[in-house]
Amino acid sequence: MDIIDALILGIVQGLAEYLPVSSSGHLAIFREILGVDLGGAQNLEFDVALHVATVLSTIVILWREFWPLCTSFFTFKRDSNFYYVLKILVSCIPIGIVGVCFKDTIETIFGEGLGLVGICLLVTALLLSFSYFCRTLPGQEGRRPLFGGAPRDITFVDAFVIGCAQAVAVLPGLSRSGTTIATGILIGDKREQIANFSFLMVIIPILGEALLDARKIFAVDAIDAAAGAAEPAVGFAALITGFIAAFVVGCIACKWMLNLVKRGKLIWFAVYCCIVGLVCIAKYYGLF
């Protein structure tokens, strides 16, 4: 992997992590286009760097919300911020179970082919379409057209349901942000809250996955060292380039997405996911 490839993949990760179009799916697509799919073990280090970069961009953009949450939680203030963190922890339970117990099994069963990516992108498009038609229309503030009732604050039950949606989104092509935001809107949570919650709730799972992957990286490095392997597939310059690109673009995309969710402008992403999903399926079955 050269620096240009790393730059492109970093930009893709920074955009797709926040926009509801699936970062894992788009990384798989662009790796196919660039011809840099080096295999699972060799991609781990680069993937960890990109994901940590987007976590940092989340913290930077949501710093005003993030710091009070940390202060309240670690000083046991028992205020609204303290209970908000508890809701985030509740949302992490499903993905924690899936990540620790079933991640390798899921990857073995489903793989990462363009066919699966295409199907999951179509599911993402469907979820985003549902969330669009549940939006609050002009003159109908305070109620949701399809389900009725006023949008509410996120509850502990809501947090767990959104966490289950996040756990399902481990499949490549199923957008994590799109799935969690759409789920929150569908069950009746306020738009201005669900976007922030969706981005904050992913910090712990991504860092946890990075630790699990780091363990695999050390194991692979030890095997390579014992076998006298040559230079790594991803060089240091490419690693840094991808990290910086993902961080900078992630900051821009995170801020943009927060505004888009509040304005209910997700339907165009549904159209995009549908088109890209159909292209991936067609490519997988050799139709072009």
Side-chain angles (χ1 to χ4, degrees), residues 80-102:
S80 59
N81 287 328
F82 177 85
Y83 291 105
Y84 191 90
V85 176
L86 291 184
K87 292 175 186 177
I88 290 176
L89 293 176
V90 168
S91 75
C92 293
I93 294 173
I95 190 65
I97 295 173
V98 171
V100 173
C101 302
F102 303 108

Side-chain angles (χ1 to χ4, degrees), residues 35-54:
V36 293
D37 193 355
L38 308 171
Q42 293 179 334
N43 282 328
L44 271 180
E45 188 174 348
F46 188 71
D47 287 349
V48 169
L50 295 188
H51 283 94
V52 171
T54 49

Side-chain angles (χ1 to χ4, degrees), residues 16-24 120-121 124 127-128 165 169 171-180 273:
E17 179 64 35
Y18 297 101
L19 302 184
V21 295
S22 174
S23 61
S24 60
C120 288
L121 282 171
T124 298
L127 284 170
L128 293 175
L171 296 175
L174 194 56
S175 168
R176 187 207 60 80
S177 62
T179 302
T180 54
C273 288

Side-chain angles (χ1 to χ4, degrees), residues 166-212:
Q166 178 176 238
V168 174
V170 297
L171 296 175
L174 194 56
S175 168
R176 187 207 60 80
S177 62
T179 302
T180 54
I181 290 172
T183 299
I185 293 172
L186 286 169
I187 62 178
D189 295 324
K190 294 178 180 177
R191 287 180 178 273
E192 59 271 19
Q193 292 185 11
I194 189 58
N196 284 29
F197 188 80
S198 174
F199 294 152
L200 289 170
M201 69 184 281
V202 78
I203 292 176
I204 295 175
I206 286 182
L207 292 179
E209 184 178 9
L211 289 174
L212 292 175

Side-chain angles (χ1 to χ4, degrees), residues 116-191:
L116 176 63
V117 170
I119 293 172
C120 288
L121 282 171
L122 293 180
V123 175
T124 298
L126 188 63
L127 284 170
L128 293 175
S129 298
F130 278 135
S131 70
Y132 174 77
F133 290 112
C134 286
R135 72 198 188 283
T136 301
L137 299 173
Q140 294 181 315
E141 287 77 8
R143 64 184 291 270
R144 293 183 298 123
L146 291 184
F147 297 99
R152 61 176 181 271
D153 294 333
I154 297 171
T155 66
F156 280 97
V157 174
D158 294 343
F160 184 78
V161 172
I162 296 169
C164 290
Q166 178 176 238
V168 174
V170 297
L171 296 175
L174 194 56
S175 168
R176 187 207 60 80
S177 62
T179 302
T180 54
I181 290 172
T183 299
I185 293 172
L186 286 169
I187 62 178
D189 295 324
K190 294 178 180 177
R191 287 180 178 273

Side-chain angles (χ1 to χ4, degrees), residues 101-117:
C101 302
F102 303 108
K103 184 174 185 292
D104 292 337
T105 302
I106 291 173
E107 290 177 351
T108 301
I109 294 174
F110 292 100
E112 296 183 349
L114 287 183
L116 176 63
V117 170

